[in-house]
């Protein structure tokens, strides 16, 4: 019981002193943290089978899959399927060690500022045991905060015939221009605040940023896979500036098992450096893609490393990816 209480205290989706949620529903940040607490798995030291990880990905995409099936296919047509191929490291390219990249970013003198909000394209394979090939399409999301602490969120399902191509205009704080996409939701949220990660601003030095990411991870001692999960959650809330990017690369440089792999072109056509982590416990290969000049995280891709006939996945199948834009 003590362990469960400790997890609840650290999750802290809503503080007791927060007046915004008296007799009101949680906002999307608190709800996301509560869902992570309720449905996440604690690290027991035992390997978890691939199928449980696959199911968690499928659950996250269920609503979008249902909507897109109705939107993109008629009663007599076959639903569109967009299964991306894994990103490939360029043959003969020179891997750049993370500590060297961290030094270069710290010395770059860049001036990009931290921005609350995100512009991200995601894709994940949705399926269940014994299911037919999954119905999957990319999804693009833009979140923008205003001066009064209210914010907007626009979610668009992109054309499955052109996965990876951005479709949202990012010039407007509340983007209205959508090309080749199907709007899944467009919402405005009232003013809100939080002093807990990932809603709280991320720090600019590596030691404090690591502690910040550990709070997001919720599992105690953060391993490399947990670190990558926490980085994704951070970037789904913030667009990092130069100093935050430098601190994050320094944290990543200390991660065990995250090795440089070489140059790669990401799904949005950007040049990056790939860093790979083999998550044997989940039969997954995780690829982190960083901008070789700024150190900014461009994307994270997860691929299967072991066949699982029950779910119809094979080694090399892409399970999910995220591509963040500024």
């Amino acid at each position: 019981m003590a362990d469960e209480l400790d997890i609840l205290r650290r999750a802290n989706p809503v503080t007791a002193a927060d007046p915004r949620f008296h007799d009101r529903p949680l906002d999307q940040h608190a709800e996301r943290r509560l869902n992570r607490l309720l449905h996440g798995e604690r690290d027991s030291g035992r390997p978890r089978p691939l199928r449980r990880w696959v199911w968690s990905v499928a659950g996250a995409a269920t609503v979008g899959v249902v909507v897109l099936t109705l939107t993109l296919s008629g009663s007599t047509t076959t639903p569109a399927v967009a299964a991306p191929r894994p990103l490939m490291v360029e043959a003969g390219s020179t891997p750049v060690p993370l500590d060297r990249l961290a030094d270069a970013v710290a010395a770059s003198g860049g001036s990009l500022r931290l921005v609350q909000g995100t512009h991200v394209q995601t894709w994940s394979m949705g399926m269940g045991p014994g299911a037919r090939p999954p119905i999957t399409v990319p999804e693009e999301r833009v979140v923008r905060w205003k001066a009064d602490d209210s914010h907007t969120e626009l979610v668009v399902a992109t054309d499955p015939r052109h996965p990876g191509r951005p479709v949202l205009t990012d010039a407007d704080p509340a983007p209205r221009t959508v090309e080749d996409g199907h709007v899944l939701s467009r919402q405005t949220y009232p003013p809100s605040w939080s002093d807990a990660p990932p809603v709280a601003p991320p720090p600019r030095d590596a030691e404090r940023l690591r502690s910040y990411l550990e709070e997001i991870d919720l599992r105690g001692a953060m391993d490399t896979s947990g670190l990558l999960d926490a980085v994704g959650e951070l970037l789904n809330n913030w667009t990092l500036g130069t100093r935050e990017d430098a601190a994050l690369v320094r944290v990543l440089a200390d991660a065990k098992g995250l090795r440089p792999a070489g140059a790669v072109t990401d799904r949005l056509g950007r040049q990056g450096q790939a860093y790979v982590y083999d998550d044997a416990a989940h039969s997954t290969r995780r690829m982190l893609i960083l901008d070789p000049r700024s150190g900014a995280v461009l994307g994270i891709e997860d691929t299967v490393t072991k066949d699982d006939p029950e779910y119809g996945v094979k080694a090399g199948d892409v399970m999910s990816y995220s591509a963040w834009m500024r």
Side-chain angles (χ1 to χ4, degrees):
M1 179 62 70
D3 290 342
E4 284 75 7
L5 289 175
D6 182 61
I7 292 174
L8 283 170
R9 292 189 187 101
R10 294 175 56 213
N12 192 25
V14 181
T15 63
D18 190 339
R20 293 174 298 127
F21 301 110
H22 291 179
D23 299 321
R24 293 178 59 188
L26 303 179
D27 74 0
Q28 81 278 17
H29 300 297
E31 185 174 358
R32 182 179 296 119
R33 288 177 65 79
L34 184 58
N35 284 336
R36 282 168 58 84
L37 173 67
L38 294 175
H39 304 296
E41 294 189 10
R42 293 165 54 193
D43 186 1
S44 63
R46 294 171 297 181
R48 287 177 288 175
L50 169 65
R51 61 179 58 88
R52 298 189 66 178
W53 184 84
V54 169
W55 186 248
S56 68
V57 172
T62 298
V63 175
V65 168
V66 172
V67 172
L68 294 168
T69 301
L70 297 176
T71 303
L72 303 179
S73 62
S75 59
T76 60
T77 61
T78 301
V81 176
R85 296 181 178 180
L87 296 175
M88 301 298 294
V89 174
E90 297 176 10
S93 60
T94 302
V96 178
L98 274 166
D99 55 354
R100 186 190 306 170
L101 179 59
D103 291 341
V105 173
S108 67
S111 59
L112 292 176
R113 63 183 182 87
L114 177 71
V115 176
Q116 189 170 21
T118 190
H119 185 178
V120 59
Q121 186 173 111
T122 61
W123 181 93
S124 60
M125 184 177 288
M127 59 186 175
R132 294 175 298 175
I135 302 168
T136 50
V137 299
E139 180 179 287
E140 194 168 338
R141 182 167 61 98
V142 172
V143 178
R144 289 292 176 258
W145 287 73
K146 300 180 181 179
D148 64 355
D149 286 332
S150 66
H151 65 280
T152 61
E153 181 178 70
L154 174 61
V155 182
V156 170
T158 60
D159 189 335
R161 295 168 297 181
H162 304 286
R165 184 178 66 186
V167 300
L168 298 179
T169 297
D170 203 24
D172 193 311
R176 292 188 292 268
T177 302
V178 180
E179 300 177 355
D180 281 340
H182 302 269
V183 176
L184 296 181
S185 67
R186 190 193 304 264
Q187 300 185 58
T188 298
Y189 295 90
S192 62
W193 61 270
S194 173
D195 59 357
V199 183
R204 292 177 167 181
D205 67 85
E207 184 176 351
R208 291 173 56 218
L209 180 58
R210 179 174 178 82
S211 297
Y212 177 102
L213 294 169
E214 286 177 344
E215 287 194 53
I216 296 177
D217 185 51
L218 295 179
R219 293 180 299 176
M222 184 172 59
D223 60 12
T224 300
S225 189
L227 171 61
L228 294 177
D229 287 340
V231 168
E233 190 71 9
L234 166 63
L235 297 177
N236 285 336
N237 287 270
W238 294 90
T239 301
L240 302 187
T242 300
R243 293 181 64 180
E244 292 81 13
D245 280 330
L248 180 55
V249 177
R250 187 66 66 185
V251 172
L252 292 166
D254 293 333
K256 295 181 179 179
L258 187 59
R259 65 182 190 278
V264 67
T265 301
D266 82 348
R267 300 189 188 282
L268 302 182
R270 301 171 297 185
Q271 295 298 308
Q273 276 287 322
Y275 300 87
V276 173
Y277 175 70
D278 292 314
D279 188 351
H282 301 87
S283 301
T284 307
R285 178 178 182 262
R286 312 199 69 180
M287 178 184 287
L288 171 74
I289 306 161
L290 301 181
D291 186 302
R293 296 171 298 278
S294 70
V297 177
L298 301 181
I300 295 176
E301 176 186 87
D302 293 344
T303 58
V304 180
T305 59
K306 183 179 179 180
D307 294 353
D308 191 329
E310 181 180 358
Y311 284 85
V313 295
K314 299 179 180 180
D317 286 349
V318 177
M319 293 305 303
S320 68
Y321 73 77
S322 295
W324 290 276
M325 295 159 267
R326 187 173 183 94

